[in-house]
């Protein structure tokens, strides 16, 4: 058996955060760059609060805290080029005014430069007390084994 080999690739990342934002239904949660490495992940130059991603594979994780609106249900999702990302929705129902904690992790394969955003998909305007988005590029299983 051949020993495992480890891919020699440099991961790039971006960490974005919001410390509070009142967001209308369907609008982006405004996120600001906190720290990044490389050029694959960068703040969007065309959509405030969104993120530009170069072609590649990404591990994307978000968490958000929000005050439940009158209806009690808070919902968020990621959008890629204004299209909702499959399996990225997080929904929680709380008593109005209580904090709802939301989060989701997805792997995205992006064939061309794209814009990623975290969006309020609730039926009502929501006050987000915090939100964090972490994106890591070159996400893949770095260890491969070959039988001999």
């Amino acid at each position: 058996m051949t020993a495992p080999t480890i891919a020699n690739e440099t991961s790039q990342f971006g960490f974005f955060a919001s410390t509070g934002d009142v967001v209308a239904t369907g609008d982006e949660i405004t996120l600001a760059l906190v720290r990044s490495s490389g050029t694959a992940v960068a703040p969007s130059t065309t959509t405030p609060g969104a993120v530009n991603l170069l072609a590649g594979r990404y591990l994307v994780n978000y968490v958000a805290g929000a005050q439940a609106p009158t209806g009690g249900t808070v919902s968020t999702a990621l959008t890629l080029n204004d299209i909702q990302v499959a399996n990225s929705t997080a929904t929680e129902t709380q008593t109005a005014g209580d904090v709802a904690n939301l989060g989701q992790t997805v792997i995205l394969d992006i064939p061309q430069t794209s814009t990623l955003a975290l969006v309020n998909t609730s039926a009502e305007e929501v006050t987000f007390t915090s939100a964090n988005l972490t994106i890591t590029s070159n996400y893949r299983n770095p260890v491969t084994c070959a039988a001999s």
Side-chain angles (χ1 to χ4, degrees), residues 51-62:
V51 179
N52 282 347
L53 301 174
L54 298 178
R57 175 172 271 192
Y58 297 87
L59 175 65
V60 179
N61 174 266
Y62 75 83

Side-chain angles (χ1 to χ4, degrees), residues 33-72:
L33 177 66
V34 175
R35 183 155 179 137
S36 68
S37 170
T39 59
V41 181
S44 174
T45 56
T46 57
T47 306
V51 179
N52 282 347
L53 301 174
L54 298 178
R57 175 172 271 192
Y58 297 87
L59 175 65
V60 179
N61 174 266
Y62 75 83
V63 293
Q67 290 180 340
T70 305

Side-chain angles (χ1 to χ4, degrees), residues 23-26 68-73 120-128:
V23 182
T25 299
T70 305
T73 300
N120 173 21
T121 55
S122 308
E124 301 174 67
E125 178 180 270
V126 173
T127 300
F128 286 87

